[in-house]
């Protein structure tokens, strides 16, 4: 068996998607806005139509 090293070294990668990655206050604010919009869609529209 030959040992192939076809994958890119993780240290060279610029983008990560691990949940343990650092995130900024801006990221938290965007998430909060998305959550509020989602809640308005889920609860607000049915309330207005009732």
């Amino acid at each position: 068996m030959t040992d192939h090293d076809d994958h890119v070294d993780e240290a060279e990668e610029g983008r990560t998607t691990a949940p343990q990655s650092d995130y900024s206050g801006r990221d938290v604010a965007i998430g909060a806005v998305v959550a509020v919009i989602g809640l308005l869609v889920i609860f607000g529209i049915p309330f207005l139509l009732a």
Side-chain angles (χ1 to χ4, degrees):
M1 262 178 22
T2 52
D3 185 21
H4 292 6
D5 192 15
D6 292 335
H7 60 68
V8 178
D9 187 15
E10 291 179 16
E12 296 175 10
E13 236 177 86
R15 178 176 181 236
T16 63
T17 56
Q20 297 86 3
S21 299
D22 291 337
Y23 49 88
S24 66
R26 181 178 183 267
D27 295 332
V28 173
I30 290 172
V33 168
V34 170
V36 167
I37 291 172
L39 289 171
L40 286 174
V41 169
I42 290 172
F43 295 109
I45 292 175
F47 179 75
L48 291 174
L49 294 176

